[in-house]
């Protein structure tokens, strides 16, 4: 096909690449076998003609867009159902790029996302055996469509504040679900509006006149034959958003709605026929799922960064603007060092998040396996780690995606670049599954305890043991190498932890109680958590990338090491203020790091396109006029514009209705 | 009306306010008279029943949304045309909040924006007298609709690279407009797609076989009676974007399209009948408009910040979440210091940008008046100033709006909060009318010249004269007061200017030519420009706010001073790394500033709602479920959701078409 001819710029860039792109593709997939399997799934989905749109989603009305997403989502399920009959698809519940092909079906979020993402896992993990037998298979095979309804109109992160009640009635052996106020309406769950016929509802459990806190219930909300909301159910959609337009987020209210006793998920706590409440053996057992989701978010962000990087880097290689020297032809914008400064840290960050996410996943798996053996000791540490990593990585990813978008100038503002949609997806992660500031303060609680232990000389858990090392250290010795940087960031984290700890003490001395003092010092507490998280990110990224670079061919290893070094130095320069406070780094050291940084940019320059090619995001999943493999940027921009229904007619009806009368009434 | 009952939280907050809100409203409007006039215009527009929507814009298809915007835009023009017959409306071309009521008509951008924003001003300023007589009145009275077509698919900020040609044909005394390539198509102009029938086209002028660079031409593109594109014109829309959905951005291509010789705007350069080219007396004469637009952007951003602040602060006063102390009821989230940290700097930044924008406007007016007298000396300085202020303010405003949005948690992601649309408007300013990095490097060129002058002991222009002061200073003496902060920021700017200057020299010594060295040092050059701009923002904000606070009542003066101080200290903490490098500030000084910062947050807390009330943004212009004056947040969220066409039917057709078949095929 003439269409797939690659533009000269990208051909030249690919010829410059010093490493084997295929090798890096396998590294990112976690092995050649994984790459092969991913491509199989992608082929199945991307080659299905039922999944193509004539008119791009963005032109449709809100309602049409939803209907189109349901149509395609159902087809996707049929394909994957068939696939799962021949293959083990349980790997979908681990960090993997194998199933990211959904972006090749619905550009934005699928209305079915919470079915597999939260409904099925909750049924799987919180039901007792009998309940699981009853519901799980039907759920997995899409015999019902479910979602997870926790957040309410007036209540988000603070789960204890939820208002929906589930009151046990021993006479009928039923729970009565009720929404006592407007603010108690469930609000936000994806797919809840018009898609799901079942959901998990989190509600305050009352029995025998007593409240036992929030518990999950399995609730049918729509008739299976007619899809009509059942009597006592008020359900609908919450309206358009910044992104997630096709997620079908809904609201849900109950009017004394009755469900059988056995619809309470009873793996942990239970209510007996007579209304007796049996407590869960351990409160923390329900904790795991929350941590699980946050761990996966870190690797999801790595993937979104790889999509945005692919778009911005390829566009920067194709786009020409201005002259580096007078009289020369306009140069590729990727040759501007300011552009490299915007782009390359984003590539490095994608790798940093991928390796850190996998490291976190291993830690999570170990803790879950220990929990199976009755050992819960490491859960608080894992929880503290997952909180700050989810928080900081979502913020960083958002900043990087925005920088990629801005690096594409005006065209990055076009929907057809797909950067606005990626931006909408990534920015949402800062808020959902635990709002940034709330999570950072959770980690800060852990840090304050750890600091107290450090001052008392108690033994520390691994991820905070560095605090002891810098306990008495006023300013750590700086050195201009990677170990020096890792040490410097740990010293900053220790210093800020100490400062926050002392700020609380200061406010207490002024007469505040602990919680008031905590609030007054909370800006510093968030800073301490961030610094702790940066120390982790820096250390883990360096260690894991270094290990990786030693396992691969020397030519690739060198590039991976450069990326890791760029990541470390970028943050050294970014956080030089903190390093000046807590290490002996000097103005000269900083100037030196700046030089090394500029040198690294020029070293990475010839491999930029190769590095994003290695993310191996197919055009159908990238959905971008600016980022396609062939680099036909301008042709695609114009082709996409031609699809606008407004362009189907030379004159829009509004001319005759409004414009002509307006102009003819002008006093000439 | 029962509906307008204000919620208890906001009543309490308003009772706490320590200053006269009405007094501050007048300050922001620039006088009581201005407030009165603004409210007259707002009443005229907001009370017109023709301008109400039944279904909110966001639910419509792209095409319907455009048609709706044209309908309402035409009505708005009728209203304003009538108003202008009784009042002087030339104040629309100055920084004023009087005409911002357009946001009460079209939530996003009007397809007519460039008509009054760029088409009319260009006709006014670049035509000769005869041309002005012919076109201006018709344009102002909407007898034609115009736009400004400069940017091309392949060419943005680098104007010299534009490809569209205007070749003079002396035989017919016409210019032949032509688009030789795909990349030469005009791309982006607002209103160009299906709205405008005329436009200014910027093209490379050729006469007698020679190219004379880019010039503006007045071009009719559609038939006035039928609105059909004229033969030789290809025009259409470019498609959906991150924001500006109703701006009707278009593309435009010419196929040997002929226009009369006298359609070249001839105030400056001219082409005579025989094709002789007459040069403009001064290249810089066309410069003014560009600076004019950038100056206005700074005050526009102040206004957008005031809208976002109003939404986030009122919501934070109404929203309750979690407990400050165990056992207490859930507290208003505005009582969390972390929330105050997100909100109050945004309020302060709106004031900072307003007073800096007005200061810049005065400088601009003086330079224009001097230019009228033939004195162009101060234009380069003004240009350098406008470049970096437009750049830095757009970046800062974007960050603040995003922070406001995130401060509203999940609900800030709802379109009905209006924060996503404000975000879309503000983030675009980073790119349009001069891309951030390009503008920062323009200022850097000026700074490098200034530094060279400083090293040579030459006299400096006012805004850079501080460079001399810190020329030989290694680290300036720090003091913990506002003068100390201003001095500190100037020292940082001088230090970074010096560092960038020396980096270029270093690269030159390594054998690079100047432009290569410039490129290699460009990250540092951008940093220097930013530092210069921060020094200006800090100094001007402090001086102007201080002056203002002395003119008003003491109770208001105190609050204005607190805001200015907050602005200074926020940036001191934010840029402590730079201050540590270029001043004698210590760890103890920084801790002290942190304390003062925390104290300022608590001082401003009782006035937070009063401060945003003083922005006096009417509910119809705010367009926000979260930010309305009455604080009925949850009621409005639910009322808006009810307007969704998806909620008009209990069961969507996609159930019968797709969901039911999918579920029935499940293997149970």
């Amino acid at each position: 096909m003439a269409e797939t001819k690659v533009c000269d710029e990208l051909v030249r860039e690919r010829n410059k690449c010093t490493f084997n792109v295929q090798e890096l593709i396998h590294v990112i997939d976690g092995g050649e076998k994984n790459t092969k399997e991913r491509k199989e799934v992608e082929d199945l989905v991307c080659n299905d003609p039922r999944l193509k749109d004539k008119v791009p989603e963005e032109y449709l009305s809100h309602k049409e867009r939803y209907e189109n997403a349901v149509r395609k989502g159902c087809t996707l399920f049929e394909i994957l159902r068939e696939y799962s009959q021949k293959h083990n698809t349980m790997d979908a519940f681990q960090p993997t790029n194998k199933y990211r092909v959904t972006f090749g079906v619905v550009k934005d979020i699928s209305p079915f996302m919470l079915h597999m993402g939260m409904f099925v896992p909750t049924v799987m993990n919180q039901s007792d055996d009998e309940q699981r037998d009853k519901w799980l298979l039907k759920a997995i095979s899409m015999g019902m469509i479910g979602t997870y309804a926790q957040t309410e109109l007036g209540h988000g992160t603070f789960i204890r504040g939820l208002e929906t009640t589930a009151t046990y009635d021993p006479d009928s052996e039923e729970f009565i679900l009720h929404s006592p106020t407007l603010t108690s309406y469930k609000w936000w769950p994806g797919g809840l509006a018009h898609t799901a016929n079942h959901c998990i509802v989190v509600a305050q459990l009352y029995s025998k006149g007593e409240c036992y806190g929030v518990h999950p219930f399995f609730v049918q909300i729509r008739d299976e034959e007619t899809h009509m909301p059942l009597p006592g159910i008020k359900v609908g959609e919450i309206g358009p958003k910044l992104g997630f337009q096709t997620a079908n987020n809904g609201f849900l209210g109950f009017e004394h709605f009755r469900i059988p006793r056995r619809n309470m998920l009873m793996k942990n706590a239970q209510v007996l026929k007579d209304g007796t409440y049996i407590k869960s053996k351990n409160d923390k057992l329900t904790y795991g799922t929350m941590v699980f989701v946050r761990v996966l978010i870190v690797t999801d962000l790595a993937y979104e960064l790889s999509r945005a990087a692919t778009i911005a880097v390829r566009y920067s290689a194709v786009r020409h603007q201005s002259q580096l020297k007078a009289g020369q032809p306009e140069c590729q914008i990727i040759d501007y060092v300011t552009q490299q400064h915007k782009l390359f840290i984003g590539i490095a960050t994608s790798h940093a998040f991928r390796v850190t996410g996998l490291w976190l996943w291993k830690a999570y798996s170990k803790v879950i396996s220990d929990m199976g053996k009755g050992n819960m000791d490491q859960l608080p540490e894992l929880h503290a780690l997952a909180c700050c990593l989810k928080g900081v990585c979502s913020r960083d990813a958002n900043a990087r995606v925005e920088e990629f978008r801005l690096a594409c100038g005006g065209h990055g503002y076009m929907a057809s670049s797909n950067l606005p949609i990626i931006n909408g997806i990534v920015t949402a992660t800062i808020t959902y599954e635990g709002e940034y500031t709330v999570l950072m303060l959770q980690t800060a609680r852990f840090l304050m305890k750890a600091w107290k232990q450090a001052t008392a000389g108690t033994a520390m858990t691994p991820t905070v043991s560095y605090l002891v090392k810098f306990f008495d250290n006023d300013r750590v010795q700086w050195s201009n190498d990677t170990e020096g940087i890792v040490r410097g960031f740990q010293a900053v984290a220790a210093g800020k932890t100490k400062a926050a700890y002392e700020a609380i003490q200061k406010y207490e001395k002024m007469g505040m109680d602990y919680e008031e003092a905590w609030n007054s010092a909370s800006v510093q507490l968030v800073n301490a958590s961030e610094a702790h998280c940066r120390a982790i990110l820096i250390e883990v990224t360096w260690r894991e990338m270094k290990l990786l670079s030693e396992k691969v061919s020397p030519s690739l290893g060198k590039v991976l090491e450069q990326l890791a070094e760029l990541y470390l130095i970028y943050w050294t320069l970014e956080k030089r203020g903190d390093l000046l406070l807590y290490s002996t780094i000097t103005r000269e050291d900083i100037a030196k790091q700046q030089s090394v940084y500029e040198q690294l940019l020029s070293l990475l320059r010839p491999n930029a396109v190769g590095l994003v090619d290695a993310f191996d995001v197919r055009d159908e999943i990238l959905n971008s006029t600016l980022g396609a493999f062939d680099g036909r940027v301008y042709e695609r921009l114009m082709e996409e514009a031609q699809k606008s229904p407004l362009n189907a007619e030379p004159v829009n009806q509004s001319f005759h209705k409004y414009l002509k009368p307006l102009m003819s009434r002008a006093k000439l």
Side-chain angles (χ1 to χ4, degrees), chain A residues 190-209:
Chain A
L192 177 62
H194 293 86
T195 314
N197 54 7
H198 288 76
C199 62
I200 303 298
V201 172
V202 179
Q204 300 284 359
L205 168 58
Y206 284 85
S207 186
K208 298 185 174 179

Side-chain angles (χ1 to χ4, degrees), chain A residues 77 92-94 102 109-125 139-140 142 145-149 190 200 288-290 292-294 296-297 300 432-433:
Chain A
F77 268 127
F93 298 100
Q94 289 169 27
T102 42
I109 301 294
S110 155
F112 302 104
M113 190 179 71
L114 286 202
H115 177 81
M116 281 300 179
M118 294 206 67
F119 178 70
V120 170
T122 308
V123 171
M124 206 181 312
N125 298 325
I140 285 186
M142 304 298 294
I145 295 164
T147 182
Y148 183 88
I200 303 298
T289 324
M290 231 157 57
F292 162 77
V293 177
R294 288 173 192 157
L296 287 186
I297 285 174
D300 286 352
Y432 71 58
E433 294 297 326

Side-chain angles (χ1 to χ4, degrees), chain A residues 4 11 54 69 147 169 198 285 322 434 437 462 467 493 585 619 622:
Chain A
T4 56
V11 171
K54 256 189 229 159
T147 182
D169 172 9
H198 288 76
L285 281 170
S322 203
T437 306
L467 292 176
I585 196 170
D619 285 353
L622 204 59

Side-chain angles (χ1 to χ4, degrees), chain A residues 402-567:
Chain A
E402 178 75 351
E403 203 64 78
F404 279 137
R405 192 180 64 68
L406 291 168
C408 296
H411 295 334
Y413 198 74
M414 298 287 306
S416 74
S417 75
N418 208 28
L419 289 166
I421 285 187
I422 295 175
N423 186 68
I425 291 169
V426 169
T427 199
T429 62
I430 301 175
T431 307
Y432 71 58
E433 294 297 326
E435 190 275 331
Y436 175 79
T437 306
V438 176
L439 290 192
M440 297 307 276
L441 287 172
Q442 299 233 356
T443 302
R445 294 246 177 229
F446 180 78
L447 283 177
M448 290 304 107
K449 273 184 214 157
W451 189 258
K452 208 174 174 181
Q453 288 175 336
T455 57
T458 320
M460 315 280 290
T461 51
T463 59
V464 282
S465 58
Y466 70 84
L467 292 176
V468 185
K469 245 199 295 188
F470 300 101
F471 182 64
D472 274 334
N473 219 323
D474 188 43
R475 281 172 209 259
V476 78
Q477 185 62 41
W478 177 260
S479 64
N480 281 317
D481 49 29
T482 48
E483 290 83 50
I485 293 175
V486 170
R487 202 167 51 226
F489 272 85
Q490 291 178 339
V492 167
K496 290 197 163 188
T497 300
K498 187 181 178 195
Y501 189 85
E502 290 174 352
I504 295 175
Q505 289 186 322
K506 180 193 85 180
Y507 283 116
E508 282 186 308
K509 273 186 202 140
M510 286 164 65
M512 295 184 187
D513 63 29
Y514 188 75
E515 288 306 315
E516 281 170 338
W518 174 273
N519 187 30
S520 298
S522 55
V523 172
Q524 294 183 63
L525 285 160
V526 170
N527 289 346
S529 279
E530 194 211 329
H532 168 63
C533 189
R534 296 253 169 251
I536 303 272
L537 273 166
I538 292 284
E539 192 211 339
V540 174
T541 297
W542 177 250
R543 193 183 58 225
E544 299 289 319
M545 291 288 279
K546 184 80 185 154
L547 278 172
L548 210 54
S549 70
E550 284 158 8
K551 276 190 216 154
V552 297
S553 66
S555 57
L556 176 57
K558 200 167 156 189
V559 179
L560 292 179
E561 211 174 303
Q562 286 165 354
L563 283 174
E565 214 181 329
L566 185 85
Y567 187 76

Side-chain angles (χ1 to χ4, degrees), chain A residues 118 121 125-126 268 282-296 361 364-365 367-368 371 376 379 382-383 386 433:
Chain A
M118 294 206 67
N125 298 325
Q126 312 250 3
N268 302 314
N282 194 318
D283 283 351
K284 285 170 187 156
L285 281 170
T286 53
Y287 232 50
T289 324
M290 231 157 57
V291 176
F292 162 77
V293 177
R294 288 173 192 157
V295 170
L296 287 186
W361 176 258
Y364 166 77
S365 305
V367 171
I368 292 297
M371 276 170 69
M376 311 263 166
L379 197 59
L382 178 71
H383 176 247
E433 294 297 326

Side-chain angles (χ1 to χ4, degrees), chain A residues 130-377:
Chain A
E130 192 189 307
Q131 291 175 322
R132 202 164 17 205
D133 287 348
K134 193 170 166 191
W135 297 320
L136 189 61
L137 189 61
K138 188 170 170 181
I140 285 186
S141 65
M142 304 298 294
M144 57 177 135
I145 295 164
T147 182
Y148 183 88
Q150 176 174 303
T151 300
E152 296 174 356
L153 188 47
H155 306 276
T157 304
F158 183 64
I159 302 172
R160 276 182 290 158
L162 293 176
E163 291 181 82
T164 305
T165 54
T167 309
Y168 185 64
D169 172 9
D171 294 338
S172 63
E173 294 181 17
E174 289 173 321
F175 285 102
I176 306 163
L177 291 173
H178 190 60
S179 310
T181 59
L182 174 61
T183 47
S184 74
Y185 269 61
K186 296 297 172 186
W187 189 274
W188 274 115
L192 177 62
H194 293 86
T195 314
N197 54 7
H198 288 76
C199 62
I200 303 298
V201 172
V202 179
Q204 300 284 359
L205 168 58
Y206 284 85
S207 186
K208 298 185 174 179
E210 216 165 317
C211 179
Y212 293 99
V214 293
H215 289 74
F217 299 84
F218 179 95
V219 185
Q220 181 178 346
I221 54 171
R222 287 176 179 269
D223 184 90
E224 292 197 302
E225 285 304 310
T226 65
H227 213 54
M228 282 294 287
L230 297 177
I233 297 285
K234 285 190 222 159
V235 64
E237 79 135 347
I238 63 170
K241 292 135 287 173
L242 189 154
F244 279 55
Q245 301 302 359
T246 44
N248 197 227
N249 301 94
F251 65 78
L252 173 65
F254 299 101
E255 220 168 321
H256 305 291
F257 183 78
R258 288 173 174 266
I259 56 171
R261 178 181 67 92
R262 289 286 293 154
N263 275 27
M264 172 180 166
L265 297 188
M266 291 200 180
K267 182 176 177 188
N268 302 314
Q270 292 150 43
V271 169
L272 303 183
K273 283 187 187 176
D274 69 346
T276 306
Y277 177 77
I278 311 283
K279 238 184 108 176
S280 166
K281 277 175 206 139
N282 194 318
D283 283 351
K284 285 170 187 156
L285 281 170
T286 53
Y287 232 50
T289 324
M290 231 157 57
V291 176
F292 162 77
V293 177
R294 288 173 192 157
V295 170
L296 287 186
I297 285 174
V298 176
T299 49
D300 286 352
L301 290 168
Y303 184 74
E304 291 303 332
L305 278 174
S306 74
R307 290 212 294 164
T310 304
I311 297 167
V313 169
R314 287 188 184 150
Y315 176 69
S316 299
V318 174
R319 176 77 171 184
H320 292 254
Q321 184 180 286
S322 203
Q323 300 146 325
L324 270 172
K325 294 183 194 181
Q328 284 187 342
E330 292 191 69
C331 68
Q332 290 166 282
I333 58 175
I334 199 172
D335 283 328
Y336 291 105
V337 173
T338 48
Q339 188 79 355
Q340 296 163 12
H341 177 53
K342 292 175 194 176
L343 300 175
F344 298 170
I345 179 61
I347 299 175
T349 305
S350 175
H351 285 277
F353 287 5
R354 193 188 69 254
V355 297
T356 305
L358 290 175
W359 167 82
L360 187 61
W361 176 258
K362 275 182 229 149
Y364 166 77
S365 305
K366 182 167 181 319
V367 171
I368 292 297
S369 131
D370 287 354
M371 276 170 69
K373 299 171 201 149
N375 175 1
M376 311 263 166
D377 294 355

